[in-house]
Amino acid sequence: MHDWKDGQPFSIRFDDVSFPTDSGLEEKRHVFLQGNELARRFAALRPGETFCIAETGFGTGLNLLCTWQLFEQTAPLGASLDFFSTERFPIDDDELCSALALWPELSTQAAALRARWQRRVPGWNRWHFADGRIRLTLAMEDVMDALPQLPSKVVDAWFLDGFSPAKNPEMWSDGVLTAIARASHECTTLAAYASTGWVRRGLQQVGFEIKRVPGYGHKWEMLVGQVAARHAELKFSPQLPGGVLVIGGGLAGCAAAHTLAQRGIKVTLIESASQLASAASGNPRGILHARFAAGMNTLHRFVLASYGHALALLDEVMPVDGVHRAECGLLQLAATESEAKRIGKLAAQEWPPHLLQAVDAEQASQLAGLPMTHGGLWFPAGGWVVPPAVCARLVQHPNITVRLDSEVTSLERVDSGWRASGEGFSVEAEQAVVCSAHHAKKLAQFAAFPLLAVRGQISVLAATEASNKMQAVLCAEGYCAPAVEGQHVMGATSSFGDDGADIRETDHAENIAKLAVHMPALQQALGDAPPLKGRAGVRCSIPGATPLVGEVEQGLYCSLAHGTRGLLTAGISAEIIASQMCGQLPPLPQELLEALSPLHRIKNTGK
Ligand code: SAM
């Protein structure tokens, strides 16, 4: 949708320049950075404080990159930046590459953005840059869908950059301007290239005092604005919590500890077992398997956002190395009638090819490395990781203290916040997050939560010469990962209400039977040898399957009931909790946060 005209990237759709070249960077700095007085405001931040910018059109991300550069030059260490943007028509990887190549002075930031760009999913994306100091929340959707989903009074400065009002009036509609005002507080400012009269009046009507000031270079004027005193609403400015207890050392707990520690918060992670990742997160390999229904209900929108986030988080903490993580791709086979229907509906929708592609049986066979009787969906970024290794990486931070062999049996409110205690120990901190799966029910605050133990057993089979040809993770009713060091991991059974961790022959038989039905070529390649070993883990689920993530009562949060999807959903859930604790921009739209919220669900269900 972009072309080059007179040396400038040009949007064919909007018949307008996407961003100016030659002096383009200086113009952006003049309009948006100086227009919002960012150098002064960044320098005035204190460690632990966050500044939040929102933009109306992400384009090539140039505004983000020069803001990020200025932030690193001017803000004190310990302060962080939330940058929110919307983009309905994301450019492809090559376009981003050539557009950003024009700015050698931003090449470090551009390289980081390009890497994350390959992880983008429709809907909201949350990516960290500069060791977590810069958080980008990018809503790949229409501005009018995205802005009303921001919390009120969260934005400190606006970049109104959505093409000229004459070419793209939707970007400047009353609805958009009202949403901008709702997300602003008494000190919020704005800047825009556009100085069109009706935009100016629209912004005044929603409560901004607007000035026309000299634009840059060939532009006569631009707009700057600030919330008018009569509309001013005080922003609640929370402090970072002094310390946080994280209860549970699986993926959910380790991810929470990681993102809180990155924000400069001291975390004590308490685990009852003698090592981290000892329960459901302890399998030797877990697969990155995102499964959506065509209707994309709330749960599936959450899973989609979680998948994009998980890939980006893994890129940060566990880059692909073939030992702890492989990006071999994953095939969802249309092996049953209902799967064929689901996959057919999804395939009929438009998806970025780096996310998923529909394939026929022949393409599936090529991708799998073994003959497949069905086609299905191909997830190029799917693959496997070693979950205990991910947990170990996540907690490698000087702000995290890990306390093993400590089963928390009571959690009580004390003057300083929360006290977690068990046999022979007691630890206190200002806030607490419970990430202990179905064991949370033993704590009084969670006794009434409808958490369910779900036993799942995997089987490990010896690879053969024929099965070594397998190149991708294969999923139908069960799954099987390509061989690593001569072993395939396949799984997994699901027994609701069962918390037994014993290894059962019946479960092995079930795993193998599923394989035989849906991937006969793989079963043939593996032969009849019995499994080498198995492992049973107990996951935690809840009716409806949407995890419970968020505040439970003041200062107490939870990240629970991730079911079989913890590898995907633990990371973004940690971001939700950290943003709530720190009063920062959340990574997901309000309606998804409500769907996950224990407070909301418990109130609504009367549980
Ligand atoms: N800020 C960008 C940068 O620094 O590179 C330039 C933004 S460009 C002028 C405007 C962007 O708004 C385009 O990328 C366009 O696709 C996007 N856009 C236009 N209409 C939109 C809408 N209704 N919702 C979301 N994005 C939209």
Side-chain angles (χ1 to χ4, degrees):
M1 270 307 176
H2 283 74
D3 207 347
W4 296 78
K5 197 169 164 181
D6 305 328
Q8 312 206 89
F10 189 84
S11 167
I12 301 167
R13 180 179 277 115
F14 292 102
D15 184 27
D16 201 354
V17 176
S18 296
F19 61 86
T21 53
D22 50 40
S23 59
L25 253 184
E26 280 318 310
E27 177 167 16
K28 284 206 163 277
R29 287 182 177 130
H30 175 84
V31 175
F32 296 111
L33 309 193
Q34 289 166 31
N36 280 300
E37 294 185 60
L38 293 186
R40 178 185 64 73
R41 293 164 83 187
F42 287 169
L45 291 169
R46 283 165 301 180
E49 282 187 332
T50 302
F51 195 89
C52 178
I53 292 173
E55 175 185 63
T56 50
F58 189 73
T60 63
L62 193 54
N63 281 339
L64 164 75
L65 303 190
C66 51
T67 307
W68 164 359
Q69 187 188 47
L70 180 72
F71 191 81
E72 292 205 300
Q73 288 163 351
T74 51
L77 277 178
S80 66
L81 176 71
D82 268 309
F83 194 101
F84 178 84
S85 194
T86 71
E87 181 52 61
R88 174 148 169 226
F89 309 104
I91 56 178
D92 65 29
D93 295 11
D94 292 343
E95 287 176 319
L96 187 79
C97 235
S98 29
L100 295 183
L102 295 168
W103 316 109
E105 66 166 293
L106 293 170
S107 60
T108 314
Q109 290 89 342
L113 176 63
R114 281 201 313 268
R116 293 289 173 272
W117 200 248
Q118 299 164 12
R119 305 311 192 184
R120 68 193 184 279
V121 293
W124 289 37
N125 295 262
R126 160 65 62 100
W127 301 326
H128 284 190
F129 299 109
D131 291 329
R133 234 181 137 202
I134 314 275
R135 293 178 294 271
L136 170 65
T137 307
L138 180 50
M140 301 283 194
E141 61 191 9
D142 193 275
V143 66
M144 205 39 227
D145 293 326
L147 295 191
Q149 294 293 330
L150 287 173
S152 61
K153 295 187 267 177
V154 73
V155 177
D156 298 306
W158 287 93
F159 295 179
L160 304 184
D161 192 12
F163 291 123
S164 81
K167 302 274 171 70
N168 191 17
E170 284 85 9
M171 266 299 206
W172 308 89
S173 69
D174 289 349
V176 170
L177 303 189
T178 305
I180 288 174
R182 219 192 105 262
S184 303
H185 56 81
E186 90 275 26
C187 297
T188 304
T189 59
L190 66 81
Y193 286 120
S195 59
T196 317
W198 61 265
V199 168
R200 212 171 58 237
R201 287 189 293 279
L203 285 166
Q204 282 162 343
Q205 246 160 31
V206 296
F208 284 92
E209 265 166 11
I210 298 294
K211 278 196 291 196
R212 280 184 290 189
V213 297
Y216 185 85
H218 60 284
K219 301 223 168 144
W220 287 99
E221 283 184 332
M222 56 177 262
L223 292 186
V224 294
Q226 164 158 11
V227 173
R230 64 187 179 284
H231 290 277
E233 277 195 70
L234 255 162
K235 182 190 185 184
F236 166 65
S237 296
Q239 304 255 304
L240 290 188
V244 175
L245 302 176
V246 175
I247 299 166
L251 279 163
C254 293
H258 171 80
T259 199
L260 290 165
Q262 269 198 333
R263 284 165 169 79
I265 299 167
K266 295 272 180 228
V267 178
T268 307
L269 177 70
I270 313 172
E271 165 58 45
S272 57
S274 52
Q275 56 187 16
L276 296 177
S278 55
S281 309
N283 281 342
R285 252 173 300 148
I287 58 166
L288 288 160
H289 183 199
R291 199 172 173 284
F292 322 118
M296 292 306 286
N297 63 16
T298 331
L299 172 62
H300 292 122
R301 283 171 56 214
F302 174 61
V303 175
L304 177 60
S306 300
Y307 181 58
H309 179 268
L311 292 170
L313 176 64
L314 287 170
D315 290 345
E316 196 183 314
V317 300
M318 178 66 70
V320 173
D321 62 3
V323 178
H324 302 104
R325 178 180 173 205
E327 193 165 311
C328 51
L330 177 145
L331 264 172
Q332 279 175 17
L333 297 164
T336 61
E337 215 173 292
S338 61
E339 273 299 87
K341 222 161 132 187
R342 177 185 74 87
I343 286 173
K345 282 191 193 155
L346 276 169
Q349 298 173 16
E350 215 180 293
W351 297 96
H354 67 267
L355 175 62
L356 62 91
Q357 298 162 26
V359 291
D360 60 22
E362 199 184 316
Q363 292 165 314
S365 306
Q366 266 170 18
L367 293 163
L370 289 173
M372 294 287 113
T373 36
H374 304 279
L377 291 181
W378 170 242
F379 287 74
W384 54 261
V385 297
V386 178
V390 176
C391 286
R393 289 271 171 93
L394 286 169
V395 300
Q396 263 173 28
H397 194 289
N399 285 339
I400 302 177
T401 306
V402 176
R403 195 191 168 103
L404 299 170
D405 297 309
S406 306
E407 186 185 356
V408 175
T409 50
S410 109
L411 194 58
E412 57 190 316
R413 195 186 277 286
V414 290
D415 287 347
S416 60
W418 291 89
R419 175 187 298 148
S421 37
E423 212 180 304
F425 77 93
S426 137
V427 198
E428 289 178 17
E430 214 173 295
Q431 311 217 13
V433 197
V434 172
C435 309
S436 49
H438 64 288
H439 300 293
K441 272 179 86 83
K442 294 186 199 157
L443 303 172
Q445 293 83 352
F446 297 88
F449 281 44
L451 301 173
L452 204 62
V454 186
R455 176 195 141 81
Q457 181 175 313
I458 55 152
S459 308
V460 178
L461 269 82
T464 62
E465 204 183 323
S467 79
N468 269 328
K469 298 208 171 83
M470 178 183 176
Q471 294 158 4
V473 178
L474 303 179
C475 302
E477 271 168 355
Y479 67 83
C480 183
V484 181
E485 292 177 356
Q487 299 188 351
H488 293 278
V489 171
M490 69 176 64
T493 56
S494 268
S495 319
F496 285 81
D498 187 343
D499 63 0
D502 52 313
I503 303 302
R504 299 177 192 165
E505 285 311 317
T506 45
D507 284 27
H508 278 324
E510 189 185 324
N511 284 334
I512 292 167
K514 281 185 205 151
L515 202 74
V517 176
H518 303 302
M519 307 163 206
L522 175 60
Q523 208 260 329
Q524 254 178 15
L526 285 167
D528 295 331
L532 298 170
K533 57 185 174 188
R535 183 178 187 280
V538 181
R539 319 160 193 127
C540 170
S541 190
I542 189 169
T546 305
L548 282 171
V549 182
E551 195 171 23
V552 178
E553 53 183 276
Q554 208 201 349
L556 178 63
Y557 298 77
C558 74
S559 175
L560 295 168
H562 293 280
T564 54
R565 301 186 178 93
L567 204 46
L568 303 189
T569 54
I572 198 136
S573 301
E575 284 293 298
I576 293 171
I577 288 166
S579 69
Q580 290 177 348
M581 276 186 175
C582 303
Q584 294 165 341
L585 183 80
L588 291 177
Q590 287 298 321
E591 63 182 358
L592 284 190
L593 299 181
E594 277 167 24
L596 296 161
S597 156
L599 274 179
H600 199 257
R601 274 156 69 188
I602 288 160
K603 191 170 70 197
N604 281 350
T605 57
K607 282 182 189 123

